Amino acid sequence: MKRGFPAGFRWGTATAAYQIEGSTTADGRGPSIWDTFTARPGLASGDPACDHYRRYREDIGLLSDLGVPYYRFSVAWSRVMPDGRTVEPRGTAFYDRLVDTLLDHGITPMVTLYHWDLPEALQAEGGWPNRALADLFAEYALTVHKVLGDRVRQWTTINEPFCAAFIGYGNGEHAPGIRDEGAALVAGHNLLLAHGKATQALRSGGGEQEVSIVLNFAPVLTDVDDAAHREAARKFDFLHNRFFLDPLLGRGYPPELLADLAHLGTLEPAIADGDLEIIAQPLDVLGVNYYAPARAVPLEDPEADSNCPLPGLRGMDVQPPRGELTSLGWEQRPECLTGLLLWLHEHCPGLPLVIAENGAAFEDEVVDGRVHDEKRVRYFAEHLAAVHDAIERGADVRGYMAWSLLDNFEWAKGYTQRFGLVHVDFETQERVLKDSARFYADVVARNGL
Ligand code: FCB
């Protein structure tokens, strides 16, 4: 073995409720914004997805066969509280069974409270641009903690607020499909506030726990090292990598970013007295999602809108990816993961990091009962080596969750993108371990590459 990981390194796989569960009307579940959004023409529905709501025992059996000791999943708010407020005991019972089954197999559950599936009833009240959702989210967090807190130690409040706010309310490519940049900024702030209040709620619930938030990062590359390119990269970097991170660290929104977005006129008025203190609850761990870098170029006209999810981030454009791409068109740059982890180590002193998602979509085929997904095996091998490099150079990385356990419903892309270690036939729901699953199981067993 060439690269050993530290003792106690947490190896896991990750999924999200809406992407795998299906059964969207079972046991009193209320509609979420993703049910409404995917009812639009041309979009695939998240039902049945992987039919995991009914097949969770089989899926946990697979996890157990693979010997991967941690499992990151999300709870659907609209199952636990169909209208966003009233508890549905059949919904909480599902997660109760899920956690017990994981523990019976010796697998440690890591719970994410919000992976984008807002109850539709709360969208009807304005969705995330409505500040009242922050308190409702804290109540929901406490409710889930009451049910699972005796067995779950690791909690993530929110997954990728960047996507929930800016893709959901900015360019509208995700649910709820709204295009209103000003509202998107307020949604971003309210998601952070919701995180802060939920963190307080979880800690008030007692017990020993680790609270984290999961952010998605995109290191920004440029072709030319001149002032204009550096400034274009700076703008995108601050929006993508620091809008959420800096307030969490108690530093508020970066002043340069506030200036970049000032003409939209909504963010600063949304920041009430005391908000920044609530947002800056100490984190036990930072969850890091990394898939690909972004490339930035300056636009000659400094007043020109950009092609990023918030066009009002003016004067820059995101360029198309290059080199080797995944089937989703994402650039494969493992070295950017090393750089990101080292930057986070410096930027967030003393904060342990866990890779909460990393993985790749490729077109996989079952041939004679096997899936030879060499490209995914290579992607994982290279990215794990990149994580190892960062650890060797001092980054405090405590774990790695492969995205994803199963091929699943990939949001606006429907079932066209396969990210799983396990192949799912969406007609028959048959599961087949891919070569990448065997590769990953082997890495986990040896705690190294
Ligand atoms: C991330 C999401 C996750 C999955 C991957 C591919 O942004 O958190 O649900 O869709 O991308």
Side-chain angles (χ1 to χ4, degrees), residues 19 115-116 159-160 163 289 291 330 357 403 410-411 419:
Q19 295 182 274
H115 202 123
W116 306 353
N159 179 73
E160 300 191 353
C163 299
N289 287 358
Y291 289 95
W330 293 351
E357 287 178 29
W403 184 269
E410 178 48 33
W411 309 112
F419 273 94

Side-chain angles (χ1 to χ4, degrees), residues 155 178 196 305 353 379 382 422:
W155 297 87
I178 289 170
D305 277 357
L353 309 172
Y379 183 97
E382 290 177 352
V422 177

Side-chain angles (χ1 to χ4, degrees), residues 379-440:
Y379 183 97
F380 279 125
E382 290 177 352
H383 285 74
L384 287 170
V387 175
H388 189 267
D389 284 352
I391 294 173
E392 294 265 279
R393 289 161 67 184
D396 183 7
V397 186
R398 305 278 176 93
Y400 178 94
M401 308 294 128
W403 184 269
S404 180
L405 173 63
L406 303 167
D407 287 342
N408 60 42
F409 172 80
E410 178 48 33
W411 309 112
K413 306 280 180 200
Y415 298 96
T416 63
Q417 302 298 322
R418 295 182 174 274
F419 273 94
L421 294 169
V422 177
H423 186 277
V424 177
D425 179 325
F426 293 108
E427 298 294 315
T428 62
Q429 291 295 340
E430 194 192 343
R431 274 78 163 136
V432 174
L433 291 190
K434 301 181 191 175
D435 286 356
S436 56
R438 299 175 209 278
F439 166 80
Y440 189 57

Side-chain angles (χ1 to χ4, degrees), residues 337-415:
L337 177 54
T338 309
L340 169 65
L341 294 168
L342 291 171
W343 175 74
L344 285 170
H345 183 63
E346 239 175 67
H347 195 71
C348 322
L351 184 57
L353 309 172
V354 164
I355 316 282
E357 287 178 29
N358 175 239
F362 294 107
E363 282 155 19
D364 300 319
E365 246 188 306
V366 183
V367 179
D368 300 332
R370 299 291 293 248
V371 180
H372 298 302
D373 57 339
E374 308 89 35
K375 287 185 184 165
R376 187 172 296 96
V377 170
R378 184 152 51 86
Y379 183 97
F380 279 125
E382 290 177 352
H383 285 74
L384 287 170
V387 175
H388 189 267
D389 284 352
I391 294 173
E392 294 265 279
R393 289 161 67 184
D396 183 7
V397 186
R398 305 278 176 93
Y400 178 94
M401 308 294 128
W403 184 269
S404 180
L405 173 63
L406 303 167
D407 287 342
N408 60 42
F409 172 80
E410 178 48 33
W411 309 112
K413 306 280 180 200
Y415 298 96

